Amino acid sequence: MTASSYREALRQAHREALARDPRVFLMGEDVGKYGGTYAVSKGLLEEFGPQRIRDTPLSELAFVGAGIGAALGGMRPIVEVMTVNFSLLALDPIVNTAAALRHMSGGQFHVPLVIRMATGAGRQLAAQHSHSLEGWYAHIPGIKVLAPATVEDARGMLWPALQDPDPVLMFEHALLYNLEQELPAGAGEVDIRRARIRRPGRDVTLVGYGGTLEKSLEAARILAQQGIEAEVIDLRVLRPLDDATLLESVRRTRRAVVVDEGWRSGSLAAEIMARIMEQAFYDLDAPVARVCSEEVPIPYAKHLEEAALPQPAKIVAAVQNLWGNR
Amino acid sequence: MTASSYREALRQAHREALARDPRVFLMGEDVGKYGGTYAVSKGLLEEFGPQRIRDTPLSELAFVGAGIGAALGGMRPIVEVMTVNFSLLALDPIVNTAAALRHMSGGQFHVPLVIRMATGAGRQLAAQHSHSLEGWYAHIPGIKVLAPATVEDARGMLWPALQDPDPVLMFEHALLYNLEQELPAGAGEVDIRRARIRRPGRDVTLVGYGGTLEKSLEAARILAQQGIEAEVIDLRVLRPLDDATLLESVRRTRRAVVVDEGWRSGSLAAEIMARIMEQAFYDLDAPVARVCSEEVPIPYAKHLEEAALPQPAKIVAAVQNLWGNR
Amino acid sequence: MTAAPAPVPLPRELALRLLASMLLIRRFEERCAALYGEQKIRGFLHLYIGEEAVAAGVMPALAAEDAVVATYREHGHALLRGMSPESVMAEMFGKREGCCRGRGGSMHLFDAATRFYGGNAIVGGGLPLAVGLALADRMQGRERVTACFFGEGAVAEGAFHESMNLAALWRLPVLFCCENNLYAMGTALARSESQTDLCAKAASYGVPTLRVDGMDVAAVHQAAVTARQAVLESGAPLFAEFQTYRFRAHSMFDPELYRDKAEVEQWKQRGPIHNFTARLKAQGWLSEEEFLELDRQAGERVEAASAAAEAGEWEPAADLLKDVYTPREPA
Amino acid sequence: MTAAPAPVPLPRELALRLLASMLLIRRFEERCAALYGEQKIRGFLHLYIGEEAVAAGVMPALAAEDAVVATYREHGHALLRGMSPESVMAEMFGKREGCCRGRGGSMHLFDAATRFYGGNAIVGGGLPLAVGLALADRMQGRERVTACFFGEGAVAEGAFHESMNLAALWRLPVLFCCENNLYAMGTALARSESQTDLCAKAASYGVPTLRVDGMDVAAVHQAAVTARQAVLESGAPLFAEFQTYRFRAHSMFDPELYRDKAEVEQWKQRGPIHNFTARLKAQGWLSEEEFLELDRQAGERVEAASAAAEAGEWEPAADLLKDVYTPREPA
Ligand SMILES: Cc1ncc(C[n+]2csc(CCOP(=O)(O)OP(=O)(O)O)c2C)c(N)n1
Ligand SMILES: Cc1ncc(C[n+]2csc(CCOP(=O)(O)OP(=O)(O)O)c2C)c(N)n1
Ligand SMILES: [Mg+2]
Ligand SMILES: [Mg+2]
C-alpha cells in the first residue's frame, strides 16, 4: 500500500493505458503543454509526445465529434472535456452520434470512446462553472456513465472503460483531485458494473456517488455517534444503474436517503427513488428522502455556495427525519 | 365554439402577440419564407414583414443567444428552435446564460424570452429526430417549462409566457399540430401555473402531459369499460411542477401511473414519482408506476417505433398491475 | 443561340458508367417518391434529384479504403458507394433486410463494408466525425482520404467552423464536399450567409479550394480526382464547392413557397442527366437505343430492389433493444 | 539603439486620463492578487495585468448608451465602464455590497446602470448575446453600439463563427473587440488556429477589420473612436484585433509551463503603462511627481474599495433562493 492522490491515480491510469495500447491517445483543451487543467495529464506530453497527447483548440463540439470519428477509425481515444460545464457545447455529438450510432446502424458500428470531464461545485466558481449534470448523461441510452469517488476507482476505471466497445463517460468531481488514499502497490483494473457498499450498516441506506460519497460517509460517522448505523452505497456506475446492490441494501435497512449534488427536481436522486418505489415499496418503513442541491444557479460567495450544496448536516437531518416523519 | 387545429391556435396566438406588442418578434430557421417547418408561422411574414418574422441561418447557438441579448435589450423575442433535437446545439446559452443571468447578476437583469420547439416521436423520424428532452429542461432552475397538450393551451399559453419576466420554454409535441378541438370564440390567455384534471376519476391517477395526454385519456376510456375510473392529470407546466393538484388527486385515488415519452431512466416521470413518495407515501395503496419510452434510440420502422413509445395498452396494463402487484 | 456542347473529356466507358450511375439514382428516387405516396416509405424523405452529378462524379474518384460521411440526403451516395439497392430500399421500408435492419430509415444509411459512415440527420453533424476518421487514418499511417458531404446550409453552423479549423490545423486528409444547392430548406444562401462565396470562407482556414460546376458530371469527376490526389499528397484538407440544385422539394412536406417555378425550370435546363446524355450523343458515344437500354437497366435494378424490399420481413419487436449496447460476455 | 518615442496624438488631459485608467486597473488587480493570497477573494481570478491599454483605450470611446459585453477577465472593463471599485471589490469578496450581491464573483460582474452585461465564464458565450443586444437596438431604432470583448481563443469556437455571420448578415452594430494576447490558457494561437491572421477570418464574413497595437493606449483609443464611428455610420459590425499580452498567469492556478520567461520579459518591455508614461514624460506632459501622484490616487481608490469590501456584510443564507425567478404578484 502506498498513498496516492486521486489526480496521481488518474495520471497513472492514463500512463498505463497509453503504454499498453498504441491505439489509445488523449485529446482535449490544455491537456498537453499546460499540463491539464487539473494537472491530471502533467508530464504525459513529454512522455508520449504530441501525436498521442493532443492539445485542441477551444472547439468542444468538433473535438468530441472527432473523438467519435477516431474511435470509428480504429483508435481508442480518451477525450477530456475540461469540465461538464463546457460539455453543453458537445451534447449534440454525444447524444446524437456517439450514443445512437450503434443502434441507428443496425449494429454495424460501435464507438469505443472514453470521455472524461470534471464535474461539481464547491470551489466558489459560480453559476457557469459548478454544474453537476452527470444525471443528464445517465438518461441517455447507448452510453455508460461512471463516477469514480475513490482513489482506487480513479486508478482502475479507465482501462476497463477503454475496453468497453461503447462510449463511456467518466465524471470526476473537481474536489476529489486532491483526495489522498491508500492504494495497493499493484492496483489496476476495477469492476465497472457494480455499485459498492462503502460502509455497512443496518438502520438506513445512504446512496451517494462522486462528490457526495465523502459527505455521506461523514454523515454516517455522525449518525453512528447517535446510535444510527448507516450503510453507505457508492453508486460508481450511473448508467446502467446497479439495481441489485441498491435494492438488497434498502430491503435490509428499510430506509434510504439519496445524496446527489444535482439540482433536486429531475435529479438522478429522483431516479433512484423511483426504482426503490417500483421494486421495494412494500419493504420500506418510511418514504425515501433525498438531499440534493438547492434549485439555484450556484452562487459565488462561500456561505451561499455551502448553503446550496448537500452537506453532512443536511444528510444527518434527513436521516433523523425518517423516524419522526409520520 | 369553433373547431381549430393546434397549429392554427398557435398561429393565432402569434398573430395576437405580434399585433398587441411591438416588442414581440419571431425568429428561427425557416419561420418566414418557408412558412415554418410545422406551418405554425405560415402567413406571418406577409402580415408582419421581415423585421418581425426573421429567418435565421442554421446557427442554433447564435440565434438562441441573440434571443437572450434581444430580450435584455428590451425586446420580447419568440425564438423557434425547429425541434428539441437541434436545441442540443443551443443548450449552453439556455443553461449558462438565460437561466443563470438573473441570479448571477444579483437580480439586475432578467430575460423575458420565449423559446418554442417541437418535441417527441411518432412520425418515424428515427433516432436523431425523435427526442423527448423536455424533462432535461425541467431540471434547470431559472427557466420555466410549458407543454401545451390541448388546442386551448396552444392558443392561450404564448401571451402569458411573453408576459413572464423570465425565460419560458414551450414544448409542442409534433403529433399535436394536426389535433382539432373546439375553441370558444374569444379564447385567449390561460393560466400557466397549474396542472389540470382533464378527466375526473376515483380509482387511479394517470399523470401525462404533451404527447402523452391523449394516450392517457385513451387508456382511461378503455379502463372505464373495465370498471376502473381513472383520473387524468395534464401537467401542463413541467417547471415549476404544480405539486398541489398532483398530490390532491393521488391522495384521493391512492394509486398513480405516470406516462412520459422520455426514456425511463432519469425521466420526468421519476421526478413525479419522487414527489409522490416524499409527500404522499402513506396515502398510497400501491407503488406509483410509470410508462415511459424504452431505453433505445428511437428506431425508424413503424412497428419498432410503436414498441418503443408509451401506448394506451401499456398504460392499461400498468394500471391493472397496480392491483395484482403484491 | 446554343453553342455546341463541349466534348466529354473522359474515356467513353467511364462516361457511360457515370451516366448509368446518375440514372440509377434518378430511377431509384423516383420510385422512392412513388413508394412514399403508397406509404411504403415513411418518415422524412429527402430526394437528391437534380444533384446526381455530384455523387456520381465524386464516388468513383474515391478508393475502396477511403471513408465517406454524408447527410440525410444520401441515397445516391450510398448506392454509388457500392451498397446494394436492395439493402437501401429495404431500409427505407423498415425491413430487417435493410442495411440497418430498419433502425435507420432514409436518413441513416450505413455500411461498414464500404466504410460508409452515414447518414446524419443533424445539419453539420458529419463534419467533426470526418475529421476524426481522418485523424485515425493519420495516426495509423494509412494513406486514405475521408470524403465528407454536406449542404451549403451547414456552413453557417459552428460545427463547420470548428471542423475546418481542426482539420487544417492538424493537416488531416479530409475532402470537404460542399453540395451548394442554393437552399437550406426554404432559406436561400444569400439569406443565410453574409459572404456567399463559400470558397472565400474555406480560405480563411488556409484550406485550398475548388469551385466546380456540380451539374456537369465530367467536371465533377475530374475535380474529384484532382482533389483526392491533392489531399493525399499534401496530407491536408481541401474544400470543394459543387454548385448544384435540387429539382424537388426539400422533403415530402415542403410546399416550396420560397422559390419560383421559373427558377426551377431554368435549372432543369441544366439537368445533369439530360445534358450529359446530349453531349454523349453529340460526340457519337451514345445512341438513343443505348440510352434507353441504360435507363431500362437502371429501372430494372430499382424494381428488383423494391420487390425484394416488399418481400422482406419485419424485425421482431422483441428485438427492439438489440444494438443499444454491444453484447459482451456475462459479468 | 532606441528611437525617440512617438509623441502622443491625443489632448494632454485625455492622455492623462487614459494613464490614470490603466493605473487604476493595475493597482486594483495587484491588490486582488494579494487578497487572493489572503483568501479574501476565492474561486477563479483572471488578471488583466499587461492588457490594460485595451480596456483603457476602448471604454472612453463608447457612449453611455452603448452596451458592453465582456469575459471572465473583465475587472478592468467593469471599472472603466464606470462601476465603482467598491462594488466590484465587494463582489469579489462575495459581500452583499457587491454589484451582484456576492452571487457572481470575479467572473460575473454586471451593472445595469452602465449597460455592462458581464462577465461571462463560457469562452465565446458573450458573442451571441452582443448580437442580440445590437439587434434590439436596431429594431428599436436606437443609434447605439454594442462592444463585445473576447479573447483570441474564442475565435476557434463555433459561437464566434455563428455570431460573426449573423451580425454581418443582418448588419447589426456590433463592435467586436478581440483581445489577442496570444494564449488561451496554455495554448498558443498558432497551436489553435490554422490561420493565425485573425483579421483574415473576419474578412470571410465580409466584416471590415482593424488591427491595433494593443500595448499602445493612444493607438487603441484612436482606433476605437474610428471603429465606433464606422459601426454607427455603416450600421454594420466591425472586427478589431488588439494585439496584447498578459503578464501574469492565466488564473491563480496556472504554473505557466507553456511559455518562456524570456518571452514574458520581452513583452514587459512594451508594458502599456511603462511606455505610455515614458512618452508623456518625453513630451513634457508628465513629471515624475505627477506620475507618482496619479499612481497614489489609484492606490488610494483601491484601498478605499478594499476597506469597504472588508467592512461589508454577508447576504443572509436565507436569501439563497432570491433572484432565481423575478418576483411577481401571487397567483
Ligand atoms: C442542426 C439542425 N438544424 C436544423 C435541421 C433541420 N433541417 C434539416 S435539412 C435542413 C436544411 C439543410 O440545408 P443544406 O445544408 O443546404 O442541405 P440540403 O438539404 O440543401 O441538401 C434543415 C434546416 C437539422 N436537421 N439539423
Ligand atoms: C467553452 C469553454 N471552454 C473552456 C473554458 C476554460 N477556459 C477558460 S479561459 C480559457 C482560455 C480562453 O482564452 P482566450 O479566449 O484567448 O482569452 P484569455 O483568457 O486569453 O483572455 C479556457 C480554455 C471555458 N471557460 N469555456
Ligand atoms: Mg442546400
Ligand atoms: Mg487569449
Side-chain angles (χ1 to χ4, degrees):
Chain A
M1 304 284 268
T2 46
S4 164
S5 73
Y6 187 92
R7 172 183 294 111
E8 282 160 30
L10 278 168
R11 191 184 304 139
Q12 268 309 109
H14 280 76
R15 190 175 281 128
E16 178 199 6
L18 286 156
R20 220 164 139 178
D21 186 343
R23 299 171 306 172
V24 171
F25 70 101
L26 172 68
M27 72 173 153
E29 288 160 12
D30 288 311
V31 296
K33 277 223 150 190
Y34 187 92
T37 311
Y38 296 97
V40 167
S41 51
K42 198 159 163 183
L44 297 185
L45 174 63
E46 292 71 22
E47 192 171 343
F48 296 98
Q51 283 299 310
R52 300 185 68 201
I53 307 296
R54 293 187 163 259
D55 279 326
T56 63
L58 275 152
S59 304
E60 287 79 3
L61 177 63
F63 71 73
V64 169
I68 300 169
L72 286 172
M75 301 299 290
R76 290 293 177 275
I78 305 170
V79 175
E80 180 179 298
V81 179
M82 201 178 273
T83 75
V84 69
N85 310 286
F86 318 140
S87 79
L88 293 180
L89 294 164
L91 266 177
D92 172 67
I94 296 174
V95 172
N96 279 324
T97 307
L101 195 62
R102 178 172 179 86
H103 190 79
M104 288 195 303
S105 69
Q108 292 186 79
F109 294 114
H110 63 103
V111 182
L113 169 69
V114 173
I115 304 178
R116 295 173 39 243
M117 52 187 108
T119 187
R123 307 197 309 149
Q124 290 191 248
L125 302 183
Q128 294 181 336
H129 274 57
S130 300
H131 292 298
S132 290
L133 290 170
E134 51 278 6
W136 269 16
Y137 287 95
H139 179 55
I140 303 297
I143 60 175
K144 295 177 184 169
V145 180
L146 305 178
T150 64
V151 171
E152 185 192 17
D153 279 354
R155 177 66 184 84
M157 280 184 164
L158 185 64
W159 183 253
L162 283 164
Q163 303 315 297
D164 198 292
D166 299 313
V168 178
L169 273 66
M170 267 179 69
F171 288 89
E172 302 156 10
H173 195 288
L175 285 184
L176 292 177
Y177 290 111
N178 289 329
L179 175 72
E180 295 257 352
Q181 287 173 342
E182 292 295 310
L183 202 57
E189 194 162 349
V190 297
D191 158 84
I192 55 166
R193 301 188 188 193
R194 300 269 173 268
R196 285 264 288 268
I197 296 174
R198 296 290 183 196
R199 180 189 200 281
R202 61 165 190 264
D203 298 325
V204 58
T205 300
L206 298 181
V207 184
Y209 69 89
T212 59
L213 173 61
E214 277 304 317
K215 290 176 175 179
S216 301
L217 287 168
E218 174 61 17
R221 284 187 286 269
I222 298 169
L223 287 164
Q225 291 163 10
Q226 305 172 6
I228 298 175
E229 285 302 326
E231 178 147 308
V232 178
I233 290 187
D234 173 7
L235 288 174
R236 301 180 68 248
V237 189
L238 309 187
R239 182 177 187 95
L241 284 165
D242 172 12
D243 285 4
T245 303
L246 175 71
L247 291 165
E248 185 280 324
S249 173
V250 173
R251 288 201 182 100
R252 205 162 15 80
T253 63
R254 309 180 75 83
R255 286 177 169 84
V257 173
V258 190
V259 190
D260 179 2
E261 203 178 295
W263 289 303
R264 184 181 190 88
S265 294
S267 54
L268 184 66
E271 177 58 28
I272 303 288
M273 293 165 81
R275 289 185 182 217
I276 296 175
M277 160 100 87
E278 286 168 327
Q279 301 173 65
F281 179 74
Y282 296 104
D283 300 308
L284 291 176
D285 282 346
V288 179
R290 56 179 159 175
V291 177
C292 297
S293 284
E294 300 292 333
E295 310 221 19
V296 55
I298 306 297
Y300 162 72
K302 189 176 177 59
H303 65 297
L304 296 178
E305 184 184 42
E306 277 174 2
L309 301 178
Q311 303 295 355
K314 293 190 204 176
I315 305 169
V316 168
V319 169
Q320 289 166 338
N321 254 342
L322 294 180
W323 279 271
N325 215 2
R326 257 251 72 170
Chain B
M1 303 283 269
T2 46
S4 165
S5 72
Y6 187 93
R7 172 183 294 110
E8 281 160 30
L10 278 168
R11 192 184 304 139
Q12 269 309 111
H14 281 76
R15 189 175 281 127
E16 180 198 6
L18 287 156
R20 220 166 139 179
D21 185 342
R23 298 171 306 172
V24 171
F25 70 102
L26 172 68
M27 72 173 153
E29 289 160 11
D30 288 311
V31 297
K33 277 223 149 191
Y34 187 92
T37 311
Y38 295 96
V40 167
S41 50
K42 198 161 163 180
L44 297 185
L45 174 63
E46 293 69 23
E47 193 172 342
F48 296 98
Q51 284 298 312
R52 299 185 68 201
I53 308 295
R54 295 189 162 256
D55 280 326
T56 63
L58 275 152
S59 305
E60 287 80 3
L61 177 63
F63 71 73
V64 169
I68 299 169
L72 286 173
M75 300 300 289
R76 289 292 177 276
I78 305 170
V79 175
E80 180 179 297
V81 179
M82 203 178 271
T83 76
V84 69
N85 311 287
F86 318 139
S87 78
L88 293 180
L89 294 164
L91 266 177
D92 172 67
I94 297 175
V95 172
N96 279 324
T97 308
L101 195 62
R102 180 173 176 85
H103 190 78
M104 287 195 303
S105 69
Q108 291 186 78
F109 293 114
H110 63 102
V111 182
L113 169 68
V114 173
I115 304 177
R116 295 175 38 243
M117 53 187 108
T119 187
R123 308 196 310 149
Q124 290 190 248
L125 302 183
Q128 294 180 336
H129 274 57
S130 299
H131 293 298
S132 289
L133 290 171
E134 51 278 7
W136 269 15
Y137 288 96
H139 179 54
I140 303 296
I143 60 175
K144 296 178 184 170
V145 180
L146 305 178
T150 64
V151 172
E152 187 192 16
D153 279 353
R155 177 67 185 84
M157 280 185 163
L158 185 64
W159 183 253
L162 283 164
Q163 303 316 297
D164 198 293
D166 300 312
V168 178
L169 273 65
M170 267 179 68
F171 288 89
E172 301 156 10
H173 196 287
L175 285 183
L176 292 177
Y177 290 112
N178 290 328
L179 175 73
E180 295 259 351
Q181 287 173 342
E182 293 294 312
L183 203 56
E189 193 162 349
V190 297
D191 158 83
I192 54 166
R193 300 188 188 194
R194 300 270 172 265
R196 285 263 288 265
I197 297 174
R198 296 291 184 194
R199 182 192 199 278
R202 58 164 191 262
D203 298 325
V204 60
T205 300
L206 297 181
V207 184
Y209 69 89
T212 60
L213 173 61
E214 277 303 317
K215 289 175 176 180
S216 302
L217 287 168
E218 175 60 17
R221 285 188 285 269
I222 299 170
L223 287 164
Q225 290 162 9
Q226 305 172 5
I228 298 175
E229 286 302 328
E231 177 147 308
V232 178
I233 289 187
D234 174 5
L235 287 175
R236 299 179 71 248
V237 189
L238 308 187
R239 181 179 188 95
L241 284 165
D242 172 13
D243 286 3
T245 303
L246 174 72
L247 291 165
E248 185 281 324
S249 174
V250 174
R251 289 200 181 102
R252 205 162 14 81
T253 62
R254 307 181 75 84
R255 286 178 169 83
V257 173
V258 190
V259 190
D260 179 2
E261 203 177 297
W263 288 304
R264 184 182 189 88
S265 294
S267 54
L268 185 66
E271 177 60 27
I272 303 288
M273 292 166 80
R275 289 185 182 217
I276 296 175
M277 161 99 87
E278 288 168 327
Q279 300 173 64
F281 180 75
Y282 296 104
D283 299 309
L284 292 176
D285 282 346
V288 178
R290 55 181 160 175
V291 178
C292 297
S293 283
E294 298 293 332
E295 310 220 20
V296 56
I298 305 297
Y300 162 71
K302 189 176 177 58
H303 65 297
L304 296 178
E305 184 184 42
E306 277 174 2
L309 301 177
Q311 303 295 353
K314 293 190 203 175
I315 304 169
V316 168
V319 169
Q320 289 166 339
N321 254 341
L322 294 180
W323 279 271
N325 215 3
R326 252 268 51 183
Chain C
M1 207 187 79
T2 342
V8 171
L10 300 171
R12 176 167 181 255
E13 201 193 349
L14 175 58
L16 292 180
R17 189 146 63 83
L18 298 186
L19 177 62
S21 296
M22 292 195 289
L23 283 167
L24 177 65
I25 302 178
R26 180 69 58 97
R27 296 304 166 232
F28 187 90
E29 290 206 326
E30 284 171 348
R31 192 78 181 91
C32 288
L35 287 162
Y36 201 90
E38 294 170 33
Q39 309 209 355
K40 296 286 182 185
I41 298 176
R42 307 313 317 274
F44 281 155
L45 180 69
H46 304 91
L47 300 180
Y48 195 56
I49 289 176
E51 310 184 35
E52 294 94 339
V54 182
V58 173
M59 286 302 166
L62 301 179
E65 66 272 19
D66 290 348
V68 178
V69 175
T71 71
Y72 45 85
R73 196 182 298 287
E74 89 286 32
H75 309 140
H77 309 76
L79 292 172
L80 301 192
R81 183 60 187 166
M83 290 172 67
S84 79
E86 280 74 11
S87 78
V88 176
M89 189 62 93
E91 186 58 33
M92 312 233 280
F93 274 63
K95 295 287 177 84
R96 71 184 312 176
E97 291 80 3
C99 52
C100 307
R101 303 209 325 282
R103 260 76 172 168
S106 160
M107 301 198 290
H108 301 296
L109 305 171
F110 290 92
D111 187 40
T114 60
R115 301 199 74 214
F116 189 75
Y117 291 96
N120 199 310
I122 301 299
V123 172
L127 289 150
L129 208 71
V131 173
L133 284 161
L135 175 61
D137 286 337
R138 161 65 39 81
M139 291 186 76
Q140 289 169 104
R142 297 184 300 229
E143 291 268 302
R144 295 173 175 178
V145 164
T146 297
C148 180
F149 293 86
F150 56 97
E152 90 296 338
V155 171
E157 291 281 3
F160 171 81
H161 175 70
E162 297 187 5
S163 300
M164 289 291 287
N165 182 46
L166 202 56
L169 181 70
W170 288 354
R171 297 185 64 78
L172 300 175
V174 184
L175 175 51
F176 290 101
C177 298
C178 180
E179 304 185 307
N180 179 4
N181 64 7
L182 296 178
Y183 291 89
M185 281 185 63
T187 304
L189 180 59
R191 295 176 58 251
S192 77
E193 290 292 340
S194 58
Q195 166 63 273
T196 54
D197 178 344
L198 302 179
C199 288
K201 287 179 182 291
S204 82
Y205 308 97
V207 171
T209 57
L210 277 178
R211 180 174 288 122
V212 188
D213 177 358
M215 302 308 267
D216 176 350
V217 70
V220 170
H221 184 67
Q222 287 186 311
V225 168
T226 308
R228 180 176 185 278
Q229 197 52 38
V231 170
L232 273 188
E233 274 164 24
S234 68
L238 184 146
F239 175 90
E241 176 192 348
F242 299 102
Q243 299 187 316
T244 182
Y245 199 81
R246 76 172 143 71
F247 293 172
R248 300 286 189 110
H250 166 75
S251 74
M252 306 308 278
F253 296 102
D254 170 9
E256 285 189 84
L257 305 170
Y258 49 84
R259 60 182 188 181
D260 275 352
K261 287 232 160 52
E263 179 185 296
V264 181
E265 283 316 311
Q266 235 170 10
W267 276 91
K268 281 190 179 165
Q269 296 309 311
R270 298 177 51 198
I273 297 178
H274 180 74
N275 273 10
F276 196 59
T277 304
R279 283 165 72 187
L280 293 174
K281 284 183 178 169
Q283 70 196 92
W285 283 6
L286 185 73
S287 69
E288 179 64 10
E289 286 86 70
E290 283 166 326
F291 172 78
L292 290 174
E293 175 57 19
L294 283 179
D295 197 27
R296 199 192 53 75
Q297 283 171 12
E300 246 177 31
R301 200 72 201 78
V302 169
E303 276 324 299
S306 118
E310 180 69 54
E313 288 176 17
W314 301 113
E315 182 91 344
D319 284 350
L320 171 66
L321 298 186
K322 223 173 124 171
D323 293 331
V324 180
Y325 295 99
T326 307
R328 307 186 71 188
E329 321 76 71
Chain D
M1 209 185 81
T2 344
V8 172
L10 300 171
R12 176 167 181 254
E13 201 193 348
L14 175 57
L16 291 180
R17 188 145 64 85
L18 298 186
L19 177 62
S21 296
M22 294 195 288
L23 283 168
L24 178 64
I25 302 179
R26 179 69 58 97
R27 297 301 166 235
F28 188 89
E29 290 206 327
E30 284 171 347
R31 192 77 181 95
C32 288
L35 287 164
Y36 201 89
E38 295 170 32
Q39 310 209 359
K40 296 288 183 185
I41 297 176
R42 306 315 317 271
F44 281 155
L45 179 70
H46 304 91
L47 300 181
Y48 195 56
I49 290 177
E51 309 184 37
E52 293 95 340
V54 182
V58 174
M59 286 303 167
L62 302 178
E65 66 272 19
D66 290 347
V68 179
V69 175
T71 71
Y72 45 84
R73 197 182 298 287
E74 89 286 29
H75 310 142
H77 308 77
L79 292 173
L80 301 193
R81 184 60 186 165
M83 290 172 66
S84 79
E86 279 74 12
S87 78
V88 175
M89 188 62 93
E91 186 58 32
M92 312 233 280
F93 274 61
K95 297 286 177 85
R96 72 184 313 175
E97 291 79 4
C99 52
C100 307
R101 303 209 325 281
R103 261 78 174 166
S106 159
M107 302 199 288
H108 301 296
L109 304 172
F110 289 92
D111 187 40
T114 59
R115 300 197 75 214
F116 189 75
Y117 290 96
N120 199 311
I122 301 298
V123 171
L127 289 150
L129 207 73
V131 173
L133 284 161
L135 175 61
D137 286 337
R138 163 63 40 81
M139 292 186 76
Q140 290 168 105
R142 297 183 299 228
E143 293 268 302
R144 294 173 177 181
V145 165
T146 296
C148 180
F149 292 87
F150 55 98
E152 89 296 337
V155 170
E157 291 281 4
F160 171 80
H161 176 68
E162 297 187 4
S163 300
M164 289 291 287
N165 182 45
L166 203 56
L169 181 70
W170 288 356
R171 297 185 64 78
L172 300 175
V174 184
L175 175 52
F176 290 101
C177 299
C178 181
E179 304 184 306
N180 179 4
N181 63 7
L182 296 178
Y183 291 90
M185 282 185 59
T187 304
L189 179 60
R191 296 175 59 251
S192 77
E193 291 291 340
S194 58
Q195 167 62 273
T196 54
D197 178 344
L198 302 178
C199 288
K201 287 180 181 291
S204 83
Y205 308 96
V207 170
T209 57
L210 277 179
R211 180 174 289 121
V212 188
D213 177 357
M215 304 306 270
D216 176 351
V217 69
V220 170
H221 184 66
Q222 287 186 311
V225 169
T226 307
R228 180 176 185 276
Q229 197 53 37
V231 170
L232 272 189
E233 273 164 24
S234 67
L238 185 146
F239 176 91
E241 175 192 347
F242 299 101
Q243 298 187 318
T244 180
Y245 199 80
R246 77 174 142 69
F247 293 171
R248 300 286 189 113
H250 166 73
S251 73
M252 306 308 278
F253 295 103
D254 170 8
E256 284 188 86
L257 306 170
Y258 48 83
R259 61 181 187 182
D260 276 352
K261 288 234 158 53
E263 179 185 297
V264 183
E265 282 316 310
Q266 234 170 9
W267 276 91
K268 281 191 179 166
Q269 297 310 311
R270 297 178 51 198
I273 295 179
H274 179 75
N275 273 9
F276 196 59
T277 304
R279 282 165 72 188
L280 292 175
K281 284 183 178 167
Q283 71 196 91
W285 283 6
L286 185 73
S287 68
E288 178 64 12
E289 285 86 71
E290 283 167 325
F291 172 78
L292 289 174
E293 174 57 19
L294 282 179
D295 196 29
R296 199 192 53 75
Q297 283 171 11
E300 244 177 30
R301 200 73 201 77
V302 169
E303 277 324 300
S306 117
E310 181 69 55
E313 288 176 17
W314 302 112
E315 182 91 343
D319 284 350
L320 172 65
L321 299 186
K322 221 172 126 174
D323 293 330
V324 180
Y325 295 101
T326 307
R328 306 187 70 188
E329 320 76 71

